[in-house]
Amino acid sequence: MKSSIRLRDVAFVFVILLCFSASAYELYRDFTEARVRDGERVGYIVYKNRQAEQKAGGSVLWATLRQNSPVYNYDTIRTGTASSATINFDNATKIELNEESMIVINIEGETSKLSLEGGSVVIAGATDGKEVSLKTRDGTITATGGELAVRDTDAGVTIQAKSGTATVKTDANATPVAIEETARYNVNTAKIEQPEIVLTAPTQNQVFVSESGQEPVPFAWEIRKGNRAASPD
């Protein structure tokens, strides 16, 4: 009787150790795959400020991104508080993630199909007939031309033209809408909003270098008025 109980105890411990070993192995494989990748490389991190992380498609493990880290198809990229990251894709598309933002990458040849899972991003490189597709909770946005800032907030998803004139579609069969520089397009209301005051200096992402640790920064604004409903291009 004692021998039988002892044998069952040993068998139970063995099963527990076997399960633990299997879990440890899966974690180790997941951990190493985050650093040694065999997937399709589609671009590089060209700028990173503070916290930015990368998760391979199908993985549950987040790995810290570094300057010039490669990114792969189906990766998920996220940034932390007061952090940012810029990705240059091999197809000439560029995307900037602002703080607390997350995207899922899907590159098909010259077409960039991205998913915005939260936060805000700036998209550039949709030129020469190339399209950048960004899936959001309010629908999929397809953009060509210009530089776009897409923001997901509690009030909904908005699109702002940062430079040039961008053409966007929120549905495959929709008529394209032209968004001029500094204008903001509300996806929910299908209305183009022109800000009454636009900051003209300093420019977006302008960097100041000072040997003394202090540098006077001039600010300038331009007053504009008028909102209008979106009209076909």
Side-chain angles (χ1 to χ4, degrees), residues 88-211:
N88 279 4
F89 293 107
D90 295 341
N91 64 5
T93 302
K94 176 181 177 182
I95 186 164
E96 300 174 12
L97 284 80
N98 295 318
E99 68 170 340
E100 297 183 336
S101 301
M102 183 164 66
I103 63 164
V104 180
I105 298 170
N106 182 8
I107 305 295
E108 297 180 1
E110 294 297 314
T111 303
S112 301
K113 297 183 177 180
L114 311 171
S115 296
L116 179 63
E117 301 297 321
S120 62
V121 296
V122 177
I123 302 172
T127 56
D128 299 327
K130 295 179 182 178
E131 291 185 343
V132 175
S133 175
L134 184 67
K135 182 180 179 181
T136 73
R137 63 187 175 96
D138 285 345
T140 299
I141 302 163
T142 303
T144 55
E147 186 180 42
L148 287 177
V150 183
R151 184 181 299 274
D152 187 346
T153 66
D154 293 338
V157 177
T158 59
I159 309 168
Q160 181 179 0
K162 303 292 289 184
S163 64
T165 300
T167 303
V168 302
K169 291 192 299 182
T170 53
D171 184 84
N173 300 318
T175 303
V177 176
I179 306 176
E180 298 176 356
E181 187 172 349
T182 73
R184 182 181 291 107
Y185 177 73
N186 189 305
V187 177
N188 284 325
T189 63
K191 183 178 181 181
I192 295 178
E193 304 167 345
Q194 194 67 253
E196 295 184 357
I197 301 177
V198 177
L199 180 68
T200 57
T203 59
Q204 176 77 11
N205 295 328
Q206 185 173 349
V207 177
F208 295 88
V209 179
S210 173
E211 294 180 358

Side-chain angles (χ1 to χ4, degrees), residues 33-99:
E33 282 179 353
R35 288 154 175 78
V36 181
R37 302 286 298 278
D38 295 326
E40 177 190 4
R41 184 188 58 78
V42 293
Y44 285 94
I45 295 289
V46 295
Y47 175 78
K48 182 186 77 74
N49 178 35
R50 302 189 68 178
Q51 182 185 5
E53 295 179 315
Q54 171 187 45
K55 183 176 71 172
S59 174
V60 296
L61 185 72
W62 290 96
T64 299
L65 281 168
R66 295 176 176 81
Q67 204 81 352
N68 299 318
S69 290
V71 295
Y72 297 82
N73 224 2
Y74 313 118
D75 274 359
T76 300
I77 309 295
R78 71 180 181 185
T79 54
T81 303
S83 303
S84 62
T86 302
I87 305 171
N88 279 4
F89 293 107
D90 295 341
N91 64 5
T93 302
K94 176 181 177 182
I95 186 164
E96 300 174 12
L97 284 80
N98 295 318
E99 68 170 340

